[in-house]
Amino acid sequence: MGPIVLLALVPAAIPNSAWATPGPGPSVTEVDPGTSAKADGDTLSASAAGVVVFDHSKNGSGESAGAVVSTTSWTPPACYYAPKHTPKELEAQMKQVWASSAPSHEWALKTQSYFLNGKPHKDFNKDKEGKGYWWDAYVTEGREADPGAQDCDEMPFWVDEGDAPPADAPQAISPEMLAQLAYAEIRVPPTKVDLAPEGTTKVNLPTWAWLDTAEFKPVSVTASVPVLGLSATTTAEPVSLMIEPGTDDAVTYPASGECEISDGQIGEPYALGKADETPPCGVKYLRSSGDGSYKLQATITWKISWTSTTGQGGDLPNGTFGTDQDVVVQEIQAVNR
């Protein structure tokens, strides 16, 4: 069951509505999720990305940057409720729907009672014009096919300016919800580690691994709802590197394969004179890769936290992002005399 999406200019395209009983029913206008929205007289205007605005100026960038994946089963919300209509906007749109052939008679009576006839709202709350908004469902960009996008299936509800949304609307936008939406926008650099020896190593030879920490600094995205004066910033900070050699015939350093960040550094660059030392972060291959190579996977774990303009904040599940790189492993050739 999805949000009531009213396509005011194309009544024939109105989809089924889960709260229509029975038969098809429209939903309130669906704007594309993600950019700014502002009140302009009787209009709550929204541009191509909707009521939530994202500031990516401190985010990771580049073609190879990628989204972090939660280390738990948690995912950012696929839908949410936020301001979407002024009373006059909603009135104009619903009257178009009622005049069309799309809704069933029962659905039309139900919605007229709800919005127009005082059960519980009267005349679309036009007496409150400029004093609040009708909140309705948005689907998070890129999550349209997600089953969770159908969870926001309630009728639009009214919220007076300055008031919190109803407690029984758990998907209503809030500082933490904004932080979760910003989580989905986080992009981090690819995790290509420096190796010594580089590219080609030898069987039973410890290979040192480290990261150029200059490329792995904290990144952040801010999500805000200008009409509510509300924003939250989500920050990702690297905390560890996981090395997976690409074969079971290998030993990692440390044995867990997880190299913790220390003094702002992950791993330690190899230097002359360290050949007999055990690398703090690295791998030792026990078998040749033959005519091919092993796919070494390096994955950074990022600690995710958030702050907001309300003073609220906290942690969100850690995220990971990893990349593969080829490592050729050769046998050490011995000369028999």
Side-chain angles (χ1 to χ4, degrees):
M1 171 164 85
I4 53 170
V5 177
L6 180 149
L7 303 180
L9 300 180
V10 193
I14 296 169
N16 288 344
S17 170
W19 52 263
T21 313
S27 104
V28 191
T29 307
E30 180 72 37
V31 293
D32 295 332
T35 62
S36 65
K38 62 181 180 178
D40 182 11
D42 297 332
T43 302
L44 178 62
S45 61
S47 64
V51 73
V52 177
V53 182
F54 294 102
D55 178 358
H56 298 94
S57 61
K58 296 180 181 179
N59 202 11
S61 59
E63 292 183 2
S64 299
V68 293
V69 177
S70 171
T71 56
T72 71
S73 60
W74 175 86
T75 59
C79 70
Y80 55 93
Y81 296 103
K84 194 178 260 192
H85 314 280
T86 67
K88 290 184 179 179
E89 280 182 319
L90 187 56
E91 177 188 38
Q93 293 167 14
M94 291 306 296
K95 284 186 174 180
Q96 272 198 326
V97 177
W98 292 330
S100 75
S101 59
S104 69
H105 178 67
E106 186 174 350
W107 186 90
L109 289 177
K110 176 181 178 179
T111 52
Q112 287 169 6
S113 176
Y114 181 82
F115 292 117
L116 192 60
N117 298 330
K119 297 180 180 180
H121 304 287
K122 186 175 181 180
D123 197 21
F124 295 94
N125 287 353
K126 284 192 291 185
D127 61 325
K128 294 185 176 182
E129 191 79 46
K131 300 177 182 179
Y133 300 105
W134 286 99
W135 288 42
D136 197 10
Y138 290 83
V139 174
T140 305
E141 188 174 12
R143 303 286 296 279
E144 293 81 5
D146 191 313
Q150 304 301 314
D151 290 344
C152 300
D153 53 16
E154 300 296 327
M155 291 273 275
F157 52 87
W158 178 265
V159 179
D160 286 329
E161 186 173 354
D163 284 357
D168 60 356
Q171 294 102 331
I173 208 73
S174 65
E176 185 169 8
M177 178 76 74
L178 283 174
Q180 294 172 359
L181 293 171
Y183 185 114
E185 298 291 314
I186 290 285
R187 297 295 180 268
V188 296
T191 317
K192 187 178 187 303
V193 295
D194 293 307
L195 299 173
E198 182 180 1
T200 300
T201 188
K202 305 295 185 181
V203 172
N204 292 321
L205 176 67
T207 299
W208 292 57
W210 69 94
L211 287 173
D212 181 354
T213 52
E215 297 180 10
F216 291 88
K217 295 181 178 180
V219 298
S220 65
V221 172
T222 297
S224 60
V225 180
V227 296
L228 299 178
L230 190 65
S231 69
T233 298
T234 299
T235 300
E237 181 179 2
V239 291
S240 66
L241 166 69
M242 175 63 74
I243 296 289
E244 296 179 76
T247 174
D248 291 335
D249 293 314
V251 174
T252 56
Y253 305 102
S256 65
E258 185 170 14
C259 307
E260 301 287 345
I261 191 168
S262 177
D263 296 327
Q265 180 171 290
I266 299 179
E268 182 180 325
Y270 176 78
L272 291 176
K274 293 183 177 181
D276 295 329
E277 297 181 20
T278 298
C281 181
V283 59
K284 179 171 69 175
Y285 288 96
L286 307 178
R287 188 182 298 273
S288 165
S289 59
D291 295 331
S293 61
Y294 293 124
K295 290 285 187 184
L296 181 146
Q297 185 177 63
T299 302
I300 288 282
T301 295
W302 298 78
K303 178 179 172 58
I304 314 292
S305 60
W306 64 280
T307 58
S308 71
T309 50
T310 65
Q312 295 173 279
D315 293 330
L316 292 170
N318 287 349
T320 61
F321 182 63
T323 51
D324 295 340
Q325 58 197 87
D326 292 327
V327 177
V328 175
V329 182
Q330 298 175 337
E331 294 280 1
I332 297 176
Q333 299 297 319
V335 178
N336 294 321
R337 295 182 182 273

